[in-house]
Amino acid sequence: MAATAAAAAMSMRIAALPSSSTAAFQENSSGMWSSSIVKASPFLGVRLCEPKHFSSQSFSFNPKAKCITKPQLQAIAAPVETKRAAPEARRAGLKSSVIITGASSGLGLAAAKVLAQSGEWHVIMACRDFLKAEKAAMAVGMPRENYTVMHLDLASLESVRQFVENFRRSGRPLDVLVCNAAVYFPTAKEPTFSAEGFELSVATNHLGHFLLARLLLDDLKASDHSARRLIIVGSITGNTNTLAGNIPPKANLGDLRGLSAALNGVQSSPMIDGGQFDGAKAYKDSKVCNMLTMQEFHRRFHEKTGITFASLYPGCIATTGLFREHIPLFRTLFPPFQKYITKGFVSEDDAGKRLAQVVSDPYLSKSGVYWSWNKDLNSFENQLSEEASDPEKAKRVWELSEKLVGLA
């Protein structure tokens, strides 16, 4: 009877999946259920397996795990209201939870790998391409019970809201949020636009993350984790107090007239400063917004909540897919140039370890900091440029961004 009820409930859940999703559920000889879903859907944030044992020692992992039994599966499959567990209930028996955007490749994947393989973290890989993320996680050897892939398209504010809703339905606490995903169109001659009509670089890199962080702030507040953090990945190219930041076109938000006019390219310029479109500058401007946003979060919420707000530049990851839109000659020459001429080259693996360090290292718990690493591989508090550390501009970016994403 229980098996029949569970199967019926699961059938209802499968029927609710989009036609583009495929799912398989099997019951083994021990009466356990296993599942496989190969495309994103609102159901994908719910995991059917949870680790039973893990070591609290750093970077050690006990792979013993047990699948959810049929009565539990039935409870998950049935439609229920979104409810958040009390902190003490959520923490018992759970690993620390971190959401990483853009975790299907590059820096995000490398950091997800380090954290998942430590055995101490469950990584929510928030990605636009579900299948790509699943394949990437398997390829780098992330333990299956230590990650969940959930669909998120930062270029769509509706997708951001749907992601937050799906995450809350999963019942997991949120201990750390990492805003990492980014797009870069350095050779684009004309702008492209998001679902809401914003220039795509700023929509994805800044506005999508701004809305995500604002909506999930309550979840971070509710966590009983000892080191709750919100991390926004910065960039040296947005800092004009560096050599890299002075390579034209330089980041410059100007008086924010483009941002105040919604960046739609119709009634206003698609650029934040109101100037002519430049794909490389649009990316750099968006990273300045990221670093200003981190500092404004710190000023508004750190003392009230105890949450750590930080940014970082992990080094030049010259082989990252971020450069996939660049010309082939650049993609060929840039890695050896960084490795042998500037000596600034950092592998994706090493950069991932640095991001994972900002997520979990108790020594990097200071709020309002922009972290970097020296040649001895030691972390230090780096200086932001005058514009990227301007509190008045940060306040203005915050207020305009609230209006654009529908929070004001």
Side-chain angles (χ1 to χ4, degrees), residues 120-158:
E120 297 182 350
W121 289 86
H122 188 92
V123 182
I124 293 88
M125 302 172 71
C127 302
R128 187 173 47 185
D129 189 328
F130 176 84
L131 190 57
K132 176 184 176 183
E134 280 285 3
K135 288 181 175 179
M138 293 174 62
V140 299
M142 291 171 60
R144 189 65 188 85
E145 64 273 23
N146 287 359
Y147 72 90
T148 300
V149 176
M150 294 183 66
H151 178 261
L152 171 63
D153 182 358
L154 287 161
S156 164
L157 300 181
E158 179 57 34

Side-chain angles (χ1 to χ4, degrees), residues 342-356:
T342 68
K343 309 292 185 182
F345 178 88
V346 176
S347 70
E348 288 185 358
D349 282 346
D350 286 342
K353 291 174 185 175
R354 292 175 181 184
L355 177 51

Side-chain angles (χ1 to χ4, degrees), residues 154-157 160 202-213 405:
L154 287 161
S156 164
L157 300 181
V160 173
V202 179
T204 304
N205 305 352
H206 168 58
L207 292 174
H209 277 135
F210 179 81
L211 178 60
L212 180 69
V405 303

Side-chain angles (χ1 to χ4, degrees), residues 28-98:
N28 63 27
S29 59
S30 302
M32 300 306 224
W33 288 81
S34 62
S35 72
S36 173
I37 301 176
V38 297
K39 195 160 185 180
S41 78
F43 182 62
L44 289 169
V46 180
R47 176 162 305 285
L48 301 180
C49 288
E50 288 295 342
K52 188 175 182 185
H53 301 291
F54 61 93
S55 169
S56 61
Q57 185 176 358
S58 294
F59 302 102
S60 64
F61 171 66
N62 184 341
K64 293 181 181 178
K66 182 177 283 188
C67 289
I68 291 177
T69 60
K70 286 182 287 184
Q72 291 171 304
L73 181 60
Q74 183 181 3
I76 286 178
V80 293
E81 293 183 14
T82 301
K83 293 183 179 179
R84 301 183 208 178
E88 61 273 13
R90 293 180 306 156
R91 180 55 49 202
L94 285 179
K95 293 181 173 73
S96 300
S97 294
V98 55

Side-chain angles (χ1 to χ4, degrees), residues 313 354 357 364 371-381:
Y313 172 63
R354 292 175 181 184
Q357 186 182 0
L364 273 63
W371 295 105
S372 293
W373 285 258
N374 59 28
K375 292 182 179 179
D376 296 323
L377 308 182
N378 295 318
S379 58
F380 67 95
E381 298 177 30

